[in-house]
Amino acid sequence: MKKISFVIVILMLLINNLTAQEGPKNSVRVHPVYAALNAVKIDYERMVKPKGSIELKLTFTRLEWDTFDNSLGDYRGEIALLNAGYKFYLSKKKNGPRGFFLRPGAVGGSFSIKEKFGENELDAKALGFGGEIGYQWVFNKFIKGLTIGTSFEVNKYFYIDKKGTSVGNVDPVIPELNISIGYSW
């Protein structure tokens, strides 16, 4: 977690010197649906061009689930992910961070999942790539800086265990519907 925090600070310092158009240059958003799922997802976006921005997403969750038939066991785990990408705003009339966007990106993180009453354990690093398409609103008249966004994101992960070998049984393509709320300045 310290490595992820260090990378975020360095990236924010580097992109802080980049300039963009008049209007909001920075956005910070949270995902309220994640809070209901015992997780935290925070986005930071910095406009670098009128229709382009760099975005960082940090996701952290602690998992605990019980299987009903006990054939798979009861598990606990932690997941920490850093997702970095570049957003292309596609609207002809609006500059970012408003309007439709397309965002390719790369993901890195760690997974640690252990069986509560058994020997099964997965500690792995995750590397991946993905994309996102969505729409973002920034309100400047009523509640200055209020940002609301919705998007559909798909990520493909590749897992590597502590020994450096690929984990073959875990091969997901993970889609998610994002709803975010935040502040732009």
Side-chain angles (χ1 to χ4, degrees):
M1 197 66 183
K2 290 180 184 180
K3 290 179 185 178
I4 291 174
S5 299
F6 178 73
V7 169
I8 289 173
V9 169
I10 294 299
L11 288 172
M12 287 176 69
L13 290 173
L14 289 173
I15 63 178
N16 195 33
N17 293 328
L18 300 173
T19 59
Q21 80 285 351
E22 293 299 317
K25 294 182 175 130
N26 298 291
S27 297
V28 175
R29 293 176 303 279
V30 296
H31 296 252
V33 174
Y34 275 71
L37 300 173
N38 195 28
V40 176
K41 186 171 185 177
I42 300 171
D43 303 350
Y44 172 75
E45 180 179 3
R46 171 74 177 179
M47 297 301 301
V48 294
K49 293 183 177 181
K51 295 198 180 282
S53 68
I54 295 172
E55 183 178 54
L56 301 173
K57 295 182 178 195
L58 179 63
T59 306
F60 180 78
T61 186
R62 290 178 191 252
L63 303 169
E64 187 167 333
W65 69 92
D66 299 327
T67 57
F68 295 109
D69 63 3
N70 265 347
S71 64
L72 298 174
D74 299 329
Y75 289 88
R76 278 183 195 168
E78 293 181 354
I79 299 172
L81 296 170
L82 178 63
N83 188 329
Y86 190 85
K87 266 189 180 177
F88 298 93
Y89 286 93
L90 307 174
S91 176
K92 291 182 181 181
K93 296 181 180 181
K94 300 175 185 174
N95 285 336
R98 297 175 181 89
F100 281 103
F101 64 83
L102 179 63
R103 178 194 175 276
V107 185
S110 65
F111 288 74
S112 176
I113 300 173
K114 299 176 183 178
E115 191 176 13
K116 284 187 204 176
F117 305 110
E119 301 293 325
N120 296 328
E121 181 177 333
L122 171 65
D123 282 323
K125 302 294 181 204
L127 301 173
F129 59 91
E132 181 178 13
I133 187 164
Y135 195 89
Q136 189 164 285
W137 296 267
V138 177
F139 300 98
N140 284 326
K141 293 183 180 178
F142 305 109
I143 304 173
K144 190 164 181 80
L146 175 65
T147 303
I148 298 174
T150 183
S151 65
F152 181 73
E153 185 173 356
V154 176
N155 290 307
K156 169 71 175 168
Y157 297 102
F158 300 94
Y159 300 96
I160 301 168
D161 67 10
K162 288 181 178 181
K163 297 174 187 171
T165 58
S166 177
V167 178
N169 294 335
V170 184
D171 190 26
V173 173
I174 300 177
E176 62 182 273
L177 180 63
N178 291 317
I179 298 171
S180 62
I181 186 166
Y183 182 74
S184 294
W185 69 97

